[in-house]
Amino acid sequence: MSSATAVSKPRKKRKGMTRKTREALAFYACVSPWIFGFVVFTAVPMFASLFLSFTDWDSFQTPNWVGIQNYVKAFTDDPLFWKVLGHTFYYAIVSVPLSLLIALYLSNLLARDFKGKRIYRTIIYLPSLVPLVSAGLIFKWLLKPEDGPIDAVLSIFGIHGPAWLLDANWVIPAIIMLSLWQVGGGTILLISAINGVPKELYEAAELDGAGHYRTFWNITFPMITPILFFNLVTGIIGAFQVFDQVYIMTAGGPDNASQMMVPYIYNSAFKDFHMGYASALAWILFVIIMVISGAVLKSSDAWVFYESEVKK
Amino acid sequence: MRSFTKKLATATLAAVASLAMVGSLAGCGSNGAGKDDLVLTIWGGDTDKQTMQQRLDLAKKKYPSINVKLQYIAKDYDTKIQTMFSGGTAPDILEMAENINAYSSRGQLADLTAQYPNAEQQFGKANVQAYSYKGKMYGAPDRSAPGVVYYNKDIFDAAGVQYPSENWDWNTFVENTQKLVKRDGNKTTQWAYCEGDWWAWYMTWIYQNGGKIIDSNGKPVVNSSENVEAMQFYQDLMYKYQVAPKPEQITDSGADPLFSQGKLAMEVTGFWNVGALKDVKFNWGVAPMWHGKKTAVPMFSNALAVSSQSKHKEDAMKIVKFLSSKEGQKPIAENGLDVPANVEAAADKSFTEASWNKQHIDLSVFAKSTSMTWAPPFIPEWNQITKAMSDGMSQTWNGKQDVKTGLDKAQKTLEGALKK
């Protein structure tokens, strides 16, 4: 509804609700499905799992309160916890910056005006449309030792390729490779960000005789930092919660060499029936992601440039 | 004020929508079944679904007053069942397998011992043992096919090797496998034998060598000398004799596809392979498995259990009892789905002379092998056993670690998992 219609009518004092209240009510009525969903499917389960993380719940019997025992067990008495946490960090620290860099590079190439740019953009984005499960299966085939395509290409150059998913040293790099395959989503966002940079800035730079790199570093890059920042935060959160790739490609093997936090939590909950312990692990992961995201958010003042803040 | 009405309408709609959501949530727990219907959950494929429905129709004839609704769970059966139990909406009757004692030990299943006074005659000893916990039976064995040797007759004939039989020992096995392998340069084009990281395979070597995974006191005995010897034998098949593919040589397929492609002389697998081999171009047969120091054959089985949450335990037990009777098991045999767990039903003509057996394979091999099966230790921590074995042994099977180290690792992991 437009406010114009409301203004054009003579104001009658209505009993009870002012317009503001009515609008507020309408607002709450409209968002109520979301609020309901959030409470039922997010907030309640979260608090339930926080409570359960202090119990020995096996998902069937009445939970017994065990205090911080689950947390103590994770940090001191679980032979796999540190290993799995290490793998998860390794994966996140390598895959997130790498994806960002590749997306940045590709978006700079594709943001230009050239013939067939749409086709190229589509091709870059296509892999992101493939469900991760299928992508995992495809990669399993690509990474076949000996006669798989990747090792076959390597052998042309005389390199004897590793047994990728069966080799403890190569299994996480292989999973990182799969994550890079999904770089198209971030690329598309960055392309639109680059195209959103005001043209007059570039014209001014050209007049001042700025070179290609100079233009990139002083104009393009600062202007697209908000999107980079967005990609970085979502990337970090996603990387720490990696599940499908591991579950499909390796199930954490060989000998837990590729086990990550979320599949490990899933295992504890649904294979070992240690629901309480799994809840504790989930909360540990939550705190880790929160601290890292918080640090990145804090750092954003230093490097993320918002035009609106300058205009004030 | 029309706009306000519009808003109100929207608001009402939104409210109704969220209420509808509550309603549908409340409906979640009822499985769409009527109030007094029993719910029975199964996994599997289309044939499993049809067969179970036929059996339930037979049950309905016998007990017209009991309605059983079949709930087929296509994916993630274990996770879904666990969630149903946690949420207090467990099915009345459920299909179960290796996991059964994770449930029975936590008081989630009804004790069926009294219902089956002659259980051992009815199902065979190994089956009853597998589905019992602390002397009580919690699952009525439903289908149980012993593993048998599937062999490619054409390959055997070409190599001039006698067909496999239960009289083979490990030495005969190794000698013959070496005659059955074909190599082209350093590439193997035809394998003699193949298996993978699956309990039924590696544990069978262990049991044939007189070893065990869990001793009679419930303690893990994974790294015993018998077990080391057995696993050494298996590792040698891959790395010393090179008659079975290493994991890296079959990353994209397992034994079953390799066999149906005609690139494998023999494999040990379950009854399902009979259906999978319907249209292959080569001649094949089945035989009982070879023996080591002992006779031991893996058993692939499942059972029906009654949940202790059920509000109709009496009725549920009646149905389960019927489903495991000779009459209730008949469709399993007639549809060629599996071997009925009921010994009488398995020996019946409906199975041994089944109309679907167009290749005329010797189905008596299954009945014969049933008496040779070993009972897997389906302890409540069964999942931890298989995980510990896979974790410990994966690098051994990849050829990067010796057998003893792998078994020691598995032993250590299991000791940790089983200490209460």
Side-chain angles (χ1 to χ4, degrees):
Chain A
M1 72 159 250
S2 64
S3 52
T5 53
V7 174
S8 64
K9 282 180 182 157
R11 281 246 182 122
K12 270 191 220 156
K13 267 272 194 208
R14 299 179 91 263
K15 273 216 176 93
M17 282 195 276
T18 61
R19 204 172 108 212
K20 216 170 168 176
T21 331
R22 285 207 309 272
E23 278 185 357
L25 268 178
F27 166 77
Y28 283 116
C30 289
V31 296
S32 68
W34 182 87
I35 290 179
F36 172 83
F38 174 78
V39 170
V40 171
F41 296 112
T42 308
V44 170
M46 263 179 87
F47 284 106
S49 89
L50 183 60
F51 165 75
L52 289 170
S53 73
F54 297 104
T55 69
D56 65 351
W57 197 44
D58 62 3
S59 82
F60 303 126
Q61 290 155 300
T62 318
N64 297 309
W65 186 263
V66 294
I68 56 164
Q69 200 186 302
N70 286 327
Y71 293 90
V72 173
K73 181 186 159 187
F75 289 115
T76 61
D77 192 30
D78 180 347
L80 281 178
F81 174 77
W82 290 107
K83 195 174 171 177
V84 171
L85 196 60
H87 294 159
T88 313
F89 267 91
Y90 169 21
Y91 172 81
I93 286 168
V94 178
S95 77
V96 175
L98 213 54
S99 311
L100 265 185
L101 284 174
I102 293 174
L104 192 59
Y105 178 74
L106 287 174
S107 59
N108 264 293
L109 289 180
L110 293 171
R112 295 179 200 167
D113 217 4
F114 59 95
K115 226 182 145 125
K117 62 178 180 190
R118 290 211 166 146
I119 293 168
Y120 281 102
R121 287 177 193 180
T122 311
I123 290 171
I124 289 287
Y125 190 58
L126 270 181
S128 307
L129 295 175
V130 177
L132 260 180
V133 174
S134 333
L137 290 170
I138 294 168
F139 259 71
K140 240 180 135 155
W141 173 78
L142 285 173
L143 292 164
K144 253 175 71 179
E146 314 278 334
D147 50 0
I150 292 179
D151 277 6
V153 170
L154 287 175
S155 67
I156 294 171
F157 300 104
I159 302 165
H160 182 73
W164 296 105
L165 301 178
L166 299 175
D167 188 320
N169 301 318
W170 284 101
V171 63
I172 294 180
I175 294 172
I176 289 171
M177 269 176 14
L178 174 58
S179 75
L180 296 183
W181 207 56
Q182 301 267 332
V183 87
T187 311
I188 295 291
L189 281 175
L190 286 172
I191 290 174
S192 50
I194 292 170
N195 288 334
V197 178
K199 291 277 173 292
E200 56 267 28
L201 292 179
Y202 287 121
E203 285 161 11
E206 213 175 328
L207 284 176
D208 293 342
H212 194 83
Y213 286 100
R214 190 70 204 243
T215 313
F216 173 78
W217 279 115
N218 292 47
I219 295 169
T220 312
F221 186 78
M223 292 302 284
I224 61 171
T225 42
I227 299 290
L228 276 174
F229 174 66
F230 171 81
N231 278 354
L232 178 67
V233 174
T234 52
I236 288 171
I237 294 171
F240 274 97
Q241 298 184 350
V242 58
F243 177 83
D244 304 36
Q245 296 93 312
V246 177
Y247 198 70
I248 295 293
M249 281 168 53
T250 65
D255 194 7
N256 294 307
S258 65
Q259 190 63 297
M260 310 268 178
M261 275 305 271
V262 176
Y264 186 56
I265 290 169
Y266 177 86
N267 258 341
S268 302
F270 292 102
K271 293 276 188 291
D272 301 353
F273 299 94
H274 294 159
M275 215 32 108
Y277 185 57
S279 303
L281 289 175
W283 275 87
I284 293 170
L285 181 64
F286 173 75
V287 169
I288 291 171
I289 294 177
M290 204 140 95
V291 167
I292 293 176
S293 308
V296 173
L297 279 166
K298 263 260 172 296
S299 79
S300 71
D301 295 344
W303 62 278
V304 178
F305 172 78
Y306 290 106
E307 219 180 340
S308 53
E309 289 174 3
V310 181
K311 281 183 177 166
K312 266 174 203 167
Chain B
M1 270 337 296
R2 267 179 48 207
S3 53
F4 175 67
T5 343
K6 213 152 113 190
K7 250 199 216 167
L8 203 68
T10 324
T12 321
L13 256 178
V16 168
S18 54
L19 276 174
M21 232 151 99
V22 182
S24 65
L25 274 179
C28 261
S30 60
N31 306 315
K35 237 178 72 142
D36 295 326
D37 289 0
L38 301 182
V39 173
L40 185 154
T41 50
I42 59 161
W43 68 80
D46 283 345
T47 322
D48 298 77
K49 211 163 45 176
Q50 287 157 8
T51 308
M52 187 48 94
Q53 193 54 61
Q54 286 170 9
R55 296 167 68 197
L56 288 175
D57 294 343
L58 292 174
K60 181 83 185 157
K61 280 196 189 115
K62 191 167 175 177
Y63 300 110
S65 61
I66 307 176
N67 292 320
V68 184
K69 193 175 166 299
L70 178 61
Q71 197 184 354
Y72 163 69
I73 298 178
K75 250 178 53 193
D76 293 334
Y77 185 86
D78 290 339
T79 315
K80 288 199 176 103
I81 291 289
Q82 189 180 336
T83 317
M84 285 162 97
F85 270 87
S86 308
T89 55
D92 302 270
I93 307 170
L94 60 156
E95 185 180 5
M96 294 229 88
E98 295 92 338
N99 259 342
I100 187 156
N101 292 323
Y103 287 76
S104 65
S105 66
R106 296 181 168 98
Q108 298 302 302
L109 302 177
D111 178 4
L112 301 177
T113 319
Q115 309 289 325
Y116 293 96
N118 307 317
E120 292 203 355
Q121 282 100 316
Q122 198 175 340
F123 305 112
K125 203 171 167 173
N127 262 329
V128 175
Q129 235 178 319
Y131 292 105
S132 297
Y133 180 69
K134 298 196 172 166
K136 288 183 177 148
M137 192 164 107
Y138 290 96
D142 194 45
R143 293 154 43 176
S144 108
V148 298
V149 181
Y150 287 74
Y151 59 96
N152 184 322
K153 286 182 176 171
D154 300 353
I155 292 179
F156 271 79
D157 293 345
V161 177
Q162 275 205 326
Y163 295 153
S165 83
E166 66 270 37
N167 303 324
W168 283 19
D169 59 13
W170 286 10
N171 292 334
T172 330
F173 177 80
V174 170
E175 272 165 38
N176 287 327
T177 49
Q178 291 176 71
K179 295 175 197 158
L180 294 162
V181 169
K182 257 204 201 132
R183 294 190 180 89
D184 181 11
N186 58 4
K187 215 174 144 55
T188 308
T189 52
Q190 175 185 297
W191 294 102
Y193 179 69
C194 174
E195 58 182 59
D197 175 11
W198 188 30
W199 63 269
W201 280 322
Y202 60 75
M203 285 189 197
T204 296
W205 292 118
I206 284 174
Y207 274 77
Q208 285 198 352
N209 206 37
K212 272 201 183 79
I213 301 289
I214 304 286
D215 72 5
S216 47
N217 305 321
K219 294 265 178 298
V221 282
V222 176
N223 53 355
S224 67
S225 58
E226 292 93 347
N227 294 10
V228 172
E229 199 179 14
M231 288 294 92
Q232 190 59 56
F233 180 81
Y234 171 48
Q235 199 193 27
D236 286 348
L237 292 180
M238 294 185 279
Y239 292 90
K240 185 175 163 190
Y241 302 109
Q242 303 192 350
V243 293
K246 303 164 188 156
E248 62 182 62
Q249 290 166 312
I250 46 155
T251 42
D252 56 336
S253 68
D256 292 357
L258 206 60
F259 186 83
S260 61
Q261 290 161 12
K263 293 179 188 165
L264 180 62
M266 56 182 163
E267 65 161 331
V268 173
T269 188
F271 184 85
W272 56 83
N273 216 27
V274 172
L277 296 173
K278 251 196 334 253
D279 307 318
V280 294
K281 296 277 179 285
F282 54 84
N283 296 300
W284 57 276
V286 292
M289 207 175 160
W290 50 84
H291 63 87
K293 289 177 193 157
K294 290 187 168 174
T295 302
V297 170
M299 170 77 92
F300 310 110
S301 63
N302 57 51
L304 293 170
V306 174
S307 77
S308 45
Q309 287 179 20
S310 170
K311 293 184 183 69
H312 316 278
K313 277 202 205 62
E314 300 278 307
D315 287 354
M317 285 186 188
K318 274 184 197 158
I319 297 291
V320 169
K321 252 182 105 160
F322 171 79
L323 291 176
S324 56
S325 70
K326 191 179 163 184
E327 191 190 347
Q329 297 248 299
K330 232 181 182 156
I332 301 176
E334 284 167 349
N335 297 346
L337 174 70
D338 209 336
V339 184
N342 184 313
V343 178
E344 274 181 58
D348 190 73
K349 277 195 188 121
S350 61
F351 179 72
T352 52
E353 298 172 19
S355 57
W356 47 260
N357 185 11
K358 293 188 179 63
Q359 296 103 329
H360 301 295
I361 49 169
D362 181 4
L363 290 173
S364 69
V365 167
F366 288 94
K368 197 170 171 183
S369 300
T370 301
S371 58
M372 312 174 185
T373 49
W374 56 273
F378 289 161
I379 58 168
E381 297 83 6
W382 169 260
N383 287 337
Q384 278 101 315
I385 295 184
T386 53
K387 179 104 173 62
M389 288 298 285
S390 297
D391 288 352
M393 295 301 286
S394 59
Q395 295 294 31
T396 296
W397 294 323
N398 290 341
K400 294 193 166 66
Q401 155 189 289
D402 69 80
V403 172
K404 182 81 168 78
T405 311
L407 288 173
D408 285 344
K409 259 191 208 171
Q411 173 74 15
K412 197 166 160 254
T413 311
L414 259 186
E415 279 170 4
L418 295 182
K419 71 168 186 237
K420 291 286 182 289

